[in-house]
Amino acid sequence: MSVPFFSTFQTTSSIENAPFVHLPRAKWVGAFDLYQWEGFWYTLPRLHATIALQNHFKSLDDDVILASSIKTGTTWIKALIPSIMADRILTDEQDPLLTNHPNVLTPSLEFKIYRENTTPNLSEMQSPRLFRTHVPYRALPESIKNSKCRIVYMSRSPKDTFVSMWHFLNTLRSDEEGPFPIEEAFESFCDGVSAFGPFFDHVLEYWKVSLEKPNKILFLTYEEMKHDPKGQVKRLAEFLGRPFEKEEEVDKVVWRCSLERLKSLDVNKEGIDPWEGIAHHAYFRRGTVGDWKNHLTDEMASRLDEITRMKLEGSGLSFQKV
Ligand code: PAP
């Protein structure tokens, strides 16, 4: 399992990589070389894709872009957005989630589209086009920032985000390797070193723009989604210009996109995605708020709380304390 994943993350030719070899570099979780470009950390293939995206993507006004830092519960929203946009008369048997992993329904700009081809032809995609990205706000193409397209940003408390990330990265390691030492992964996270990190800078950039332009960016948190899924799904649908007419429609979408249901579907239990080489099931785990309590020591938790307090001070953003 790990071989294709590592290769897609790491492989690009030395000629293509030449412009980046002088960038600051850091080893992440013992496996990935991350390069710091304009303040954020990328693997080289993601950096190539991000630059191609910046240079070539032309946004349409009805595009929907799902943005997030990694492991914040994006997969939930990857399922919700197409479900909200879909024809409300679809029966359960016609639900695209039955046969497609959420990664397929909301394709990644930098893991798929601009990784496969630096100048993809997107003209034949059905409108409204749905995309997702982990690219930080500052690195988005001007076309996304300046068009009327909508951005949905998913965020999550840093402690649970870190724990989810650590679990996910462990699924890419062999049984012989065992889990990556959590203390080392934690140090990197606290230092701001993770793919598309620093985490706090990522969240804060989108947060600030969401305050300035609430019709442009809808800022969601995993904790609010878990606390009131129906309320948050209605909010998301209104933002997307697809408000629900009946309560049953909301219930149906919430159920279709629930972790329990998605986890139980064959399409998500089996298989490996073709562009990242990651097992489909790796995107669905416990899905709880406060799972950090099972993994972080009191000292680690206090340290990350203190970093969070300092980073978010004055921003108006806070994550639910659990
Ligand atoms: P990504 O960054 O690779 O897209 P992402 O989906 O953001 O991954 O993160 C996975 C987390 O979302 C997992 O959290 P956990 O490790 O704390 O369990 C996963 O369980 C959770 N998740 C995925 N789908 C759903 C869903 N439908 N409802 C709630 N949580 C979900």
Side-chain angles (χ1 to χ4, degrees):
M1 198 70 59
S2 58
V3 174
F5 178 78
F6 285 113
S7 63
T8 63
F9 263 73
Q10 305 287 52
T11 306
T12 38
S13 76
S14 51
I15 293 172
E16 281 176 301
N17 293 339
F20 307 120
V21 293
H22 301 298
L23 293 177
R25 195 196 291 204
K27 198 62 143 187
W28 182 48
V29 292
F32 304 106
D33 287 321
L34 297 182
Y35 290 75
Q36 194 181 37
W37 181 69
E38 299 189 347
F40 284 85
W41 294 100
Y42 302 79
T43 60
L44 279 180
R46 297 292 85 75
L47 184 48
H48 283 283
T50 300
I51 291 169
L53 167 70
Q54 249 189 16
N55 290 338
H56 301 293
F57 184 75
K58 292 282 167 286
S59 186
L60 302 178
D61 284 347
D62 62 353
D63 285 346
V64 178
I65 316 281
L66 166 59
S68 62
S69 191
I70 61 172
K71 309 329 283 183
T72 54
T74 327
T75 306
W76 196 355
I77 319 297
K78 291 172 206 168
L80 278 168
I81 293 176
S83 303
I84 289 169
M85 300 309 276
D87 203 324
R88 299 270 155 86
I89 60 168
L90 284 189
T91 62
D92 286 343
E93 292 70 42
Q94 294 167 315
D95 176 13
L97 286 166
L98 268 183
T99 45
N100 297 280
H101 190 281
N103 279 351
V104 174
L105 299 179
T106 310
S108 167
L109 287 166
E110 69 279 3
F111 277 89
K112 181 176 190 300
I113 297 172
Y114 284 87
R115 172 178 167 265
E116 289 172 349
N117 183 344
T118 51
T119 54
N121 177 5
L122 306 178
S123 64
E124 283 173 15
M125 278 183 81
Q126 222 181 334
S127 261
R129 306 181 305 178
L130 313 180
F131 301 107
R132 71 187 145 97
T133 186
H134 288 314
V135 164
Y137 183 80
R138 70 176 65 174
L140 289 179
E142 287 304 308
S143 154
I144 291 185
K145 294 178 185 169
N146 298 329
S147 75
K148 288 193 182 132
C149 81
R150 295 177 174 93
I151 299 175
V152 177
Y153 187 77
M154 182 60 164
S155 68
R156 188 177 193 181
S157 93
K159 286 181 291 191
D160 281 342
T161 299
F162 165 72
V163 166
S164 182
M165 184 188 298
W166 178 70
H167 276 287
F168 180 77
L169 291 166
N170 286 335
T171 67
L172 310 172
R173 291 167 66 87
S174 65
D175 288 346
E176 298 78 63
E177 286 173 314
F180 187 78
I182 193 166
E183 299 77 13
E184 260 184 71
F186 185 75
E187 284 303 317
S188 291
F189 189 78
C190 290
D191 289 345
V193 179
S194 58
F196 304 99
F199 169 82
F200 291 101
D201 295 1
H202 200 288
V203 175
L204 280 171
E205 281 192 357
Y206 279 97
W207 167 250
K208 284 176 188 154
V209 185
S210 79
L211 294 181
E212 288 158 18
K213 299 180 185 176
N215 296 328
K216 175 76 181 171
I217 301 188
L218 178 70
F219 193 94
L220 299 172
T221 71
Y222 192 82
E223 292 72 27
E224 283 174 310
M225 292 282 307
K226 289 294 283 191
H227 177 69
D228 178 18
K230 275 183 76 172
Q232 293 299 309
V233 167
K234 283 187 199 171
R235 194 175 155 228
L236 174 57
E238 272 158 33
F239 175 76
L240 295 174
R242 294 273 297 142
F244 293 100
E245 282 168 19
K246 302 180 197 147
E247 280 303 296
E248 307 94 84
E249 293 174 344
V250 192
D251 291 332
K252 191 182 282 188
V253 167
V254 169
W255 170 74
R256 282 182 181 168
C257 300
S258 65
L259 182 61
E260 296 66 32
R261 184 206 182 219
L262 294 180
K263 239 183 179 176
S264 73
L265 298 176
D266 287 345
V267 67
N268 299 326
K269 284 200 284 193
E270 295 152 10
I272 292 174
D273 77 54
W275 51 88
E276 293 161 53
I278 298 172
H280 283 165
H281 65 76
Y283 293 87
F284 309 96
R285 202 180 59 89
R286 289 192 65 178
T288 53
V289 173
D291 190 32
W292 61 268
K293 289 176 192 156
N294 298 316
H295 301 283
L296 301 187
T297 62
D298 290 349
E299 199 184 355
M300 288 162 115
S302 310
R303 184 165 158 214
L304 194 43
D305 282 344
E306 181 56 12
I307 294 172
T308 306
R309 193 192 58 73
M310 286 190 312
K311 295 279 183 187
L312 301 189
E313 197 167 25
S315 70
L317 175 62
S318 61
F319 289 100
Q320 185 187 316
K321 290 204 171 40
V322 179

